Amino acid sequence: MRRTSLRTLLIGLNASLVLLAVIAVAVSAVGLIERFADEQGLARVQLAGAGAQEAVERSARDVRTSALLLAERPTVRRLLAAGDSAALTAFLERFRATSGLSGVAILADGKAFAASGAAVPWRRVQGSAIQRLPDGTLLLGSVSPLRETPGASAAAALVLDRSFADRTSEQVGLAVTILDPASALEDPDDPRMPLRAEVLASGGPGSSRLEATDLFVSVRPLKGPSGEVLALLEIALPRTAVTASLERLIRNLLLLALVVAALAILSGFLISRRLTRPVQDLTASAARIGRGDLSTPTPRAAPGAGAELSTLAATMEEMRRRLLQLTSELRRRQAEGEAILTGISEGVFSVDRDRRIRYLNPQTAALLGIRPEEAVGRFCGDVLRPIGRDGGRPCDESCPIVHARFRGGASATEHLVLPDGSRRSVVITSAPPAEDQQFQVMRDETDVEAARRQRDAVLANISHELRTPLSAQLASLELLRERLSANGLDPGVGDLVLSLERGSLRLTQLIDNLLESVRIESGQDSIRHRPVALDEVVEEAIEMTAPLLSQRGQTVEVDLPYPLPPVQGDAPRLTQVFVNLLANANKFAPNGSVVRVGGAVEEGRVALWVEDEGPGLPDGAASSELFGRFVRRAGDGGEEPETAGMGLGLWIVRSIVERHGGAVEAGPGPDGRGTRVRVALPRARAAGGAAA
C-alpha cells in the first residue's frame, strides 16, 4: 500500500481545513442571519402595529380637541343664538376642512342644528370614544357642550375608512387594514384567522410569521368604551422584502469559499515544498535516536525552513545531548545501586502487582537458602513460605505488601520456613508501589524475636501474678469500707481505707494496660464481635472510675442520645477504652470540675466523647502524637500530674478502637477549653462487614 506524501497531506489538509472553516462560518452565518431577518421582520410589523394603533389614538385625541375648540368658538354661540343655520353650516364646513375631520355638527336639544361633512347619526355620538354605527361604519366621535348655552353641544367625528387606513399606512411604512371582527373570522382557510381569533379572545396584540403565506403579520385590537373589541388593525409585511439581501449574502459567501479554497491549495503547495526537506532530515535523525544512536548530531535546518523547524532541530539536538548525559548518569547510578544492594546486610527484593518476585539481592537469597534464579517470577508467598501463629499462611489477610499499597508503607514480623525445614524470624518493611514494582527490605530478627518473646512472657506472668492479689485486695477494701460505714466508726479510718482502695484501683488499671499492651505487641489482638450496648459500657466504666473521681471532687455528666444503636464488638475491651479516657480526664482536670460524656448518632457510625475542663492540649501538639506508645501528656504548667502513668492508656485506646473498625481523635472542647477525646465506632452492620 502506497503511503501519501507529506506534501500531498499538507496541501489537502490546508485546503480542507480552510474550506471547512469557511463553510462552517457561512452556514452558521446564514442561519444566524435568517433568524435575525425573521426577528427583524417580526419586530418591524410589531413596531408598525404599535404605530398604527398610536395613529388611531392620536386621531381620537385630535377629534376630542376639535370638539372642544368648536365648542369654545364665540362665532358658534353667536350664530346659534341668532338661529342662522346657513351661516353656521358654512362656518362648520370651513372648520371641518381645516381640521381634517369627516364631519362636524352643532347639536341643540339632541338634534343637529347645523352639520357639515359625512352623514353621521349625531344623536348616537356620545362622549369621546371609538364607536361602530348600526350600518357598520367605524368612527371616532366626540361631543363637547357649548359654554353658556344650555342644551347645545359641538360634535366632531372621523370615519375610520379606507382613506384613513391609507394615510396610516403612509405614516408607518407598511400596509394597514382595518377589519370588522365579524368578517375577520368568516374565511376558515385564511392563514391569518388563528392569529385574529387569538387577539379577539385575549384582547391584546399579537404577532406571528405565517409560513403558509410567507408573511409577517401583526394584529392589534381597537376597543370601545366598555372594553369590547370593535375593530382589528392588521399590518402585513412580505418576507421577500427581508430575505432579498440574505440571498445576495449567500451567493457572496459561496463565491468567497471557492476563492479561499483555491488560495489554500496554492499556499499549501508552496509551504509543503519548503517544509518537506527539513522534515525528512529531522525524521531520519529521530529514527537514529530511537535506535539508540546518540553520537550522531542532528543536522541544522536550512535558513529558509522557518523559525519553527530551526527551533525543532535545535531542540532535538539539545534532547540528544541530554539523553546522552542521562544515559551515562543512569548507567553510573545503576552500577552504584547494584553495589549498594549487594553490599548491605539486609535483604532486598521487589515484586510486581501480582506479588511475583522480579528482583532479589544475594542477601535475600542467603536468608531464604535459595538461589536467585529459583525465585524470580514466582509468587512471593511460595518463596518466603511465611507461617502465622495459627499455622496458616498470612498472605491473604495480613500481608505487609498489600497493606503498604493502601497505607503508604507497612512493616510486619514474619516467621519463615526455609527449604531445609528450619525457621527464621524476619522483619519485612514494605514501601508503597513505584510504577509497576514494590520494594521490600528484609531484616533477620531471629535472635531479637526470641528475646522479645521471652520478655513478653515474663512481663505477662508478672502482670498476671500482680493482678490476682490486687483484685482480691480491692474486693476486701471495698467490703471493709462498707462495714466501717455501717458501724459508724471514725471517718478518718474510712478515708484511709478509701485511699487504699483508690491506690489499688490505679494499680489495677496500670496492670490492665500493661497486659493489653503485651497482647497487642505479641499479636494476640483478637476482638470478639458481638452486639454491645454502648450505654451499658459507659455506665460500667463510670462505676469503675467512681472512687478516682470522687477523690478529687469531680462529677460526671452523661448526655447520650436515646436510643443508642448497638455496635459489634468486645464489651470488656470497649469498657477498658472508656475507663482509660475517664481516668485520663480525672488526672488532668482540676479538683471539683465536671467530666462530661456525650455522644451522637451519625451516618453509619456512633460517636462518643469524654470531655474534661483541664488545661487542654499543649500548643503545637498534634492529635496523633498523644496516641503514641509511652507518650505522656503534660498538665498545667507543662508538668505531668502526680498520678501520671506509663503513657500506655491512649495508645491502648487507639489500638482497641481501630481493631473495632473505628477511629479516635483528640482536640479542644466546644468552647475552646479543656480536652475532648472523640471515639467513632461503626454501627452493627458496618462493624460486621469490617469483621468479615
Side-chain angles (χ1 to χ4, degrees):
M1 182 178 178
R2 185 178 178 182
R3 296 184 178 180
T4 307
S5 64
L6 179 61
R7 178 180 302 177
T8 305
L9 285 176
L10 287 175
I11 294 174
L13 183 62
N14 192 25
S16 60
L17 286 178
V18 173
L19 189 59
L20 285 175
V22 172
I23 292 175
V25 172
V27 171
S28 61
V30 168
L32 290 175
I33 293 174
E34 286 183 347
R35 187 173 65 184
F36 179 73
D38 291 341
E39 293 175 355
Q40 289 296 317
L42 199 59
R44 185 174 173 185
V45 296
Q46 290 175 347
L47 183 62
Q53 192 168 19
E54 175 63 24
V56 173
E57 294 174 356
R58 185 171 57 251
S59 298
R61 291 193 297 270
D62 292 342
V63 170
R64 288 195 298 271
T65 303
S66 298
L68 289 173
L69 291 176
L70 185 60
E72 295 292 332
R73 291 293 181 89
T75 304
V76 172
R77 293 195 300 271
R78 180 174 54 81
L79 294 177
L80 180 61
D84 191 350
S85 174
L88 186 57
T89 301
F91 176 80
L92 293 178
E93 180 65 26
R94 291 192 301 272
F95 182 84
R96 184 190 63 81
T98 56
S99 301
L101 299 174
S102 299
V104 292
I106 299 299
L107 306 178
D109 298 328
K111 296 181 180 181
F113 178 77
S116 175
V120 176
W122 295 106
R123 66 179 58 187
R124 293 183 176 271
V125 177
Q126 299 176 359
S128 299
I130 184 172
Q131 303 176 45
R132 181 172 293 278
L133 302 180
D135 60 354
T137 303
L138 188 68
L139 59 82
L140 298 173
S142 179
V143 178
S144 180
L146 270 67
R147 194 169 52 181
E148 299 177 358
T149 307
S153 59
L158 178 64
V159 179
L160 302 183
D161 54 5
R162 184 60 193 173
S163 60
F164 177 82
D166 293 340
R167 291 195 302 271
T168 306
S169 300
E170 293 177 358
Q171 295 176 9
V172 301
L174 293 178
V176 178
T177 305
I178 301 176
L179 301 173
D180 179 51
S183 61
L185 304 178
E186 290 179 352
D187 187 3
D189 297 330
D190 192 345
R192 292 172 287 188
M193 193 188 70
L195 181 60
R196 297 171 181 173
E198 179 183 353
V199 172
L200 288 173
S202 63
S207 302
S208 176
R209 175 192 168 188
L210 303 180
E211 299 286 347
T213 58
D214 214 13
L215 289 174
F216 297 102
V217 178
S218 177
V219 179
R220 289 179 172 267
L222 296 179
K223 298 181 180 180
S226 59
E228 75 278 9
V229 178
L230 300 179
L232 296 177
L233 284 177
E234 185 175 88
I235 298 90
L237 172 65
R239 191 171 182 271
T240 55
V242 181
T243 59
S245 59
L246 179 62
E247 295 175 355
R248 291 195 300 270
L249 177 61
I250 294 175
R251 290 195 298 269
N252 293 337
L253 287 176
L254 292 176
L255 180 61
L256 177 62
L258 295 176
V259 173
V260 170
L263 293 177
I265 294 173
L266 179 61
S267 62
F269 176 76
L270 297 176
I271 293 173
S272 64
R273 291 186 59 185
R274 193 167 187 174
L275 297 181
T276 302
R277 181 69 183 191
V279 170
Q280 291 175 349
D281 295 339
L282 293 177
T283 303
S285 178
R288 287 195 301 271
I289 294 175
R291 292 193 299 268
D293 181 9
L294 300 177
S295 59
T296 304
T298 302
R300 295 183 178 180
E308 290 79 6
L309 286 177
S310 300
T311 303
L312 179 59
T315 303
M316 289 185 64
E317 175 61 18
E318 180 66 20
M319 180 186 67
R320 183 193 65 82
R321 289 197 299 267
R322 292 191 177 185
L323 283 176
L324 187 60
Q325 295 175 0
L326 288 174
T327 303
S328 302
E329 181 68 17
L330 286 175
R331 289 173 180 170
R332 182 182 65 81
R333 292 190 178 185
Q334 183 179 7
E336 292 178 355
E338 291 179 354
I340 292 173
L341 291 176
T342 56
I344 62 176
S345 59
E346 287 82 3
V348 178
F349 67 97
S350 68
V351 297
D352 58 13
R353 295 186 181 275
D354 297 327
R355 289 186 286 175
R356 298 186 180 275
I357 295 179
R358 294 304 179 194
Y359 167 82
L360 72 164
N361 64 349
Q363 290 77 359
T364 304
L367 286 174
L368 300 177
I370 59 174
R371 292 180 299 174
E373 57 270 16
E374 296 177 356
V376 175
R378 296 175 58 191
F379 181 65
C380 63
D382 298 335
V383 177
L384 273 62
R385 300 172 65 188
I387 294 182
R389 296 185 180 274
D390 56 355
R393 195 165 72 170
C395 294
D396 297 331
E397 297 182 358
S398 59
C399 178
I401 299 175
V402 177
H403 291 175
R405 295 176 181 177
F406 301 99
R407 301 176 184 173
S411 180
T413 301
E414 301 286 354
H415 305 283
L416 311 181
V417 178
L418 303 185
D420 58 1
S422 61
R423 299 197 175 193
R424 186 180 298 275
S425 297
V426 297
V427 176
I428 298 179
T429 302
S430 182
E435 295 183 355
D436 292 334
Q437 292 198 59
Q438 190 174 0
F439 284 86
Q440 286 70 231
V441 177
M442 180 187 299
R443 185 175 71 253
D444 188 5
E445 291 284 332
T446 304
D447 298 335
V448 176
E449 182 66 19
R452 184 183 294 114
R453 285 199 300 270
Q454 293 177 359
R455 182 203 65 187
D456 292 343
V458 172
L459 189 59
N461 290 332
I462 293 175
S463 300
H464 182 270
E465 294 301 326
L466 287 175
R467 196 183 192 288
T468 301
L470 275 176
S471 299
Q473 177 181 335
L474 186 60
S476 300
L477 289 173
E478 291 178 356
L479 183 59
L480 178 60
R481 179 168 53 83
E482 292 176 358
R483 291 184 178 181
L484 289 175
S485 300
N487 295 330
L489 296 180
D490 185 4
V493 178
D495 294 340
L496 290 176
V497 175
L498 183 60
S499 177
L500 288 173
E501 183 182 353
R502 291 165 179 163
S504 300
L505 182 61
R506 290 189 183 277
L507 190 56
T508 301
Q509 182 187 355
L510 292 175
I511 293 174
D512 288 341
N513 288 341
L514 191 59
L515 283 172
E516 185 68 23
S517 68
V518 171
R519 283 194 293 266
I520 293 172
E521 188 177 6
S522 62
Q524 301 175 3
D525 55 352
S526 61
I527 294 292
R528 294 179 298 176
H529 291 279
R530 298 178 181 176
V532 177
L534 289 178
D535 49 356
E536 296 179 1
V537 168
V538 172
E539 182 179 356
E540 184 176 354
I542 293 175
E543 290 179 358
M544 295 178 64
T545 56
L548 301 178
L549 296 168
S550 63
Q551 180 183 9
R552 305 187 63 186
Q554 297 169 340
T555 58
V556 180
E557 292 183 0
V558 181
D559 183 13
L560 297 178
Y562 180 82
L564 271 176
V567 299
Q568 290 283 346
D570 194 329
R573 298 287 178 86
L574 292 176
T575 302
Q576 186 177 359
V577 166
F578 288 97
V579 166
N580 287 353
L581 294 181
L582 289 170
N584 204 55
N586 164 254
K587 287 187 292 186
F588 292 97
N591 295 338
S593 60
V594 178
V595 177
R596 295 177 176 85
V597 179
V601 179
E602 301 174 355
E603 184 177 359
R605 61 181 185 176
V606 180
L608 301 179
W609 57 80
V610 177
E611 179 184 336
D612 60 53
E613 298 178 352
L617 299 177
D619 294 337
S623 174
S624 58
E625 297 176 355
L626 300 177
F627 297 94
R629 195 178 186 191
F630 301 119
V631 175
R632 294 191 291 185
R633 167 186 161 197
D636 291 321
E639 299 180 357
E640 297 179 358
E642 297 179 358
T643 57
M646 296 180 294
L648 292 174
L650 291 181
W651 177 70
I652 292 174
V653 167
R654 185 184 66 177
S655 301
I656 295 176
V657 171
E658 289 181 350
R659 281 181 284 157
H660 280 79
V664 61
E665 61 183 2
D671 55 356
R673 297 182 301 175
T675 304
R676 171 183 283 188
V677 182
R678 185 176 184 271
V679 175
L681 295 171
R683 297 171 69 170
R685 181 176 301 177

